[in-house]
Amino acid sequence: MTLFQSAWNAQSPQALQRREAMLARIDALRALEERSAAASAKSRPAFDKRGQLLPRERVALLLDAGAPWLPLCSLAGYLQDSKDAAQSVPGGGVVAGIGFVSGVRCMVVASDSGIEAGAVQAMGLEKILRVQEIALQGKLPFIHLVESAGANLMRYRVEGFVQGGALFRNLARLSAAGIPVITVQHGSGTAGGAYMPGLSDIVIMVRNRSRAFLAGPPLLMAATGEVATEEELGGALMHTAVSGLGEQLAEDDREALGLAREVVARTAWGQAVPPSSGREPLYPAEELPGLVPDDLRQPLDMHEVIARLVDGSDFLPFKALYGAATVCVQASIHGRAVGILSNNGPIDVAGANKATHFIQLMCQLGHPLIYLQNTTGYMVGKESEQAGMIKHGSKMIQAVTNATVPQITIQCGASFGAGNYGMCGRAYAPRFLFSWPSAKTAVMGGEQAARTMQIVGEAALARKGIAPDPAQSQAQYDKIVAMFEAQADVFYTSGLVLDDGVIDPRDTRAVLAQCLDICAKAEARQLRPLQFGVARM
């Protein structure tokens, strides 16, 4: 094969003239790009006063130091905001590009809130729509650092409002395609901008800085006459503790970006995790038997259990302040990424919604789900019923039923009522289900069942005008308690093959590691189905 022989003289006058012209154009390009950064940096005093980072500083902290960064559409909006080439500021009010976050190649978009407070520009919208399409085609996690004043109403155009809906449609498309959508809400997201976090899979908010509401205080007063503060309407603490819109609460921009990096790392996106022993927990498994109360009415913080099961005792809580009695965390066991659900009490409306969201997120990431059962069931009472406990609990059960990843259940403590169902009990076909010696399974506690029957019986007698016999009533009460307690005992339920065995709590990490390895090998194994079983000849 003959190699090409170049006849070009790179030192000829023509070549040098062309080179000079091209370098001048490159310098002009860089000057335009720098113009955007410089315009944004003029806002530094205001950002410093608020204890915030400038948009480009946020991007830099999010990205892996020294890793490749591919800027996109850096000249978007040039000569569209102003016909004066000397005055036009390119970029569309958005910083966008492809870079690495915790070793994962991601699409990163940041509101350039140093320019017009991040107000959405027409070509900025086009820029976001384009990079969303690139993320979808390239299967890149989409990370949005949001701080926007929304649309500039002085430059309102109805076509921008209508076409802007595609931005939110694309977020839904990305999530449905199985691509993580992560938002760090550094500042305000008003009206349509509130749907940025609303349509994200994970939302990180900054205390006293993040805002998200469909109508801010001025519009709310104009529309309804209601008076409310920004914090009451859409502050970070409200959204992470009350509404559940936010999953993580950070104290400042730096912590928020650190959390974003951890969230991305937890996705294990595109990484084949080789079997490994992983880092041992910081706390010994020998402490587990001493953690579990023999009386299930006594509290047990399941975070303490999780810390003795997962690699390095390192886990990332999900919506920690919302539905706090329902525990959801991301972690690893023997090097394999998992999602863990557990209970520090009954499952309330917020807890059911939180669990549903978490299960769907783990399915999107392809991470196995581990349920550590420790619940008396779903919350009852007038307030709970009026809040829709039935429908929200049903959503959780739907998610468990249709989860597309392996599910493994450990019955640690109480497994009562529909909590047994919502936490992937035997009827919901987990790949494996093991019990601790402390576990109890029943439709309800024995005392609750006995008292319920006692109330029903006394009411029936009252309708007939008959006074109840205290001795007979107590005898029936004791009988029902004994019956329920006997059948709830883990040795009895295991004898009915309602689990796959009772295990020593200290062996739980090793048992889970084996189960996860079996599930991973099964997922990777390619079968060759036949139309019939192999026949012996």
Side-chain angles (χ1 to χ4, degrees):
M1 179 178 177
T2 303
L3 295 176
F4 173 75
Q5 298 294 319
S6 174
W8 180 251
N9 180 2
Q11 298 302 317
S12 69
Q14 183 188 48
L16 294 175
Q17 182 272 327
R18 290 179 179 179
R19 173 184 169 82
E20 185 177 347
M22 178 57 72
L23 291 179
R25 292 291 288 173
I26 293 172
D27 288 343
L29 168 64
R30 297 294 174 240
L32 286 172
E33 292 175 334
E34 179 56 33
R35 185 184 295 177
S36 300
S40 182
K42 289 179 181 178
S43 299
R44 179 178 292 281
F47 277 71
D48 288 346
K49 185 177 180 180
R50 298 194 299 259
Q52 289 185 293
L53 298 170
L54 286 168
R56 283 165 178 77
E57 292 174 332
R58 294 169 183 168
V59 172
L61 276 177
L62 176 70
L63 296 170
D64 294 351
W69 166 249
L70 178 62
L72 296 170
C73 307
S74 61
L75 295 187
Y78 179 57
L79 293 180
Q80 302 303 306
D81 58 333
S82 170
K83 296 305 179 183
D84 184 348
Q87 298 298 320
S88 180
V89 178
V94 176
V95 179
I98 299 172
F100 287 84
V101 179
S102 297
V104 179
R105 183 181 275 114
C106 299
M107 179 65 74
V108 176
V109 177
S111 310
D112 197 341
S113 48
I115 300 174
E116 295 185 359
V120 178
Q121 301 178 25
M123 296 313 298
L125 173 60
E126 292 296 327
K127 178 175 179 175
I128 295 175
L129 294 178
R130 175 57 186 148
V131 301
Q132 285 179 325
E133 199 63 38
I134 293 172
L136 187 61
Q137 293 172 345
K139 301 176 183 177
L140 302 173
F142 188 84
I143 306 175
H144 201 167
L145 311 183
V146 176
E147 183 172 37
S148 172
N152 187 331
L153 296 182
M154 298 300 293
R155 295 201 298 262
Y156 170 74
R157 292 291 182 272
V158 68
E159 63 270 23
F161 155 67
V162 173
Q163 294 163 359
L167 186 157
F168 309 121
R169 173 176 178 264
N170 285 343
L171 293 178
R173 291 172 67 206
L174 284 160
S175 182
I179 298 171
V181 178
I182 301 162
T183 288
V184 181
Q185 191 80 27
H186 290 280
S188 290
T190 307
Y195 288 104
M196 282 301 310
L199 287 162
S200 299
D201 302 318
I202 296 289
V203 177
I204 300 162
M205 292 190 154
V206 181
R207 189 189 297 274
N208 298 325
R209 294 305 322 162
S210 299
R211 306 279 190 274
F213 26 58
L214 297 179
L219 178 56
L220 184 67
M221 177 176 285
T224 70
E226 184 179 355
V227 177
T229 67
E230 289 190 340
E231 278 297 313
E232 291 170 333
L233 277 177
L237 184 59
M238 189 283 284
H239 278 310
T240 53
V242 180
S243 79
L245 177 65
E247 279 67 59
Q248 305 290 342
L249 178 64
E251 296 301 320
D252 55 27
D253 281 351
R254 288 180 182 276
E255 185 181 0
L257 295 164
L259 284 169
R261 288 181 54 80
E262 185 172 1
V263 165
V264 174
R266 298 284 183 184
T267 67
W269 190 256
Q271 299 172 2
V273 181
S276 70
S277 60
R279 294 175 295 153
E280 285 297 313
L282 298 180
Y283 306 98
E286 286 295 327
E287 295 177 351
L288 284 171
L291 271 172
V292 184
D294 54 0
D295 182 353
L296 295 184
R297 289 173 293 191
Q298 297 177 6
L300 166 61
D301 184 358
M302 293 302 291
H303 293 96
E304 295 285 357
V305 172
I306 294 169
R308 287 157 178 81
L309 300 180
V310 303
D311 294 354
S313 299
D314 179 22
F315 54 86
L316 178 65
F318 178 84
K319 291 185 187 286
L321 300 178
Y322 181 71
T326 299
V327 177
C328 300
V329 306
Q330 289 178 266
S332 295
I333 295 179
H334 278 232
R336 298 193 187 278
V338 297
I340 299 175
L341 291 92
S342 192
N343 323 99
N344 280 340
I347 305 169
D348 58 12
V349 166
N353 280 314
K354 169 181 176 175
T356 300
H357 183 171
F358 186 70
I359 291 167
Q360 292 176 336
L361 179 64
M362 293 303 101
C363 290
Q364 182 193 66
L365 297 176
H367 294 177
L369 285 158
I370 296 172
Y371 299 83
L372 304 177
Q373 290 192 357
N374 180 48
T375 184
T376 54
Y378 288 95
M379 185 70 79
V380 297
K382 183 174 70 175
E383 182 180 346
S384 181
E385 297 287 6
Q386 291 178 352
M389 187 70 260
I390 295 171
K391 69 177 182 181
H392 296 300
S394 297
K395 286 192 299 191
M396 180 178 173
I397 291 173
Q398 285 269 16
V400 172
T401 301
N402 296 295
T404 55
V405 294
Q407 300 183 100
I408 302 168
T409 300
I410 306 291
Q411 293 185 316
C412 302
S415 179
F416 291 165
N420 174 274
Y421 304 160
M423 289 294 292
C424 202
R426 177 59 114 190
Y428 289 78
R431 299 283 185 94
F432 297 94
L433 189 153
F434 294 97
S435 299
W436 284 2
S438 49
K440 288 190 176 182
T441 304
V443 68
M444 63 182 73
E447 293 178 357
Q448 288 78 18
R451 180 58 183 150
T452 299
M453 293 306 298
Q454 192 176 54
I455 292 170
V456 170
E458 289 175 355
L461 290 173
R463 287 194 297 271
K464 297 176 182 178
I466 303 173
D469 181 338
Q472 185 178 6
S473 179
Q474 185 62 45
Q476 183 187 43
Y477 180 94
D478 293 340
K479 180 180 179 181
I480 293 173
V481 170
M483 177 182 67
F484 267 76
E485 290 298 322
Q487 292 191 53
D489 184 79
V490 68
F491 294 162
Y492 182 87
T493 54
S494 192
L496 293 171
V497 197
L498 297 179
D499 62 23
D500 297 320
V502 180
I503 61 172
D504 185 327
R506 295 170 293 184
D507 295 334
T508 306
R509 176 175 161 84
V511 169
L512 287 173
Q514 290 193 57
C515 293
L516 289 168
D517 191 52
I518 292 167
C519 292
K521 296 286 174 51
E523 294 289 317
R525 188 172 292 117
Q526 181 67 44
L527 299 180
R528 296 173 176 80
L530 302 173
Q531 292 180 331
F532 47 81
V534 175
R536 294 190 60 81
M537 299 298 181

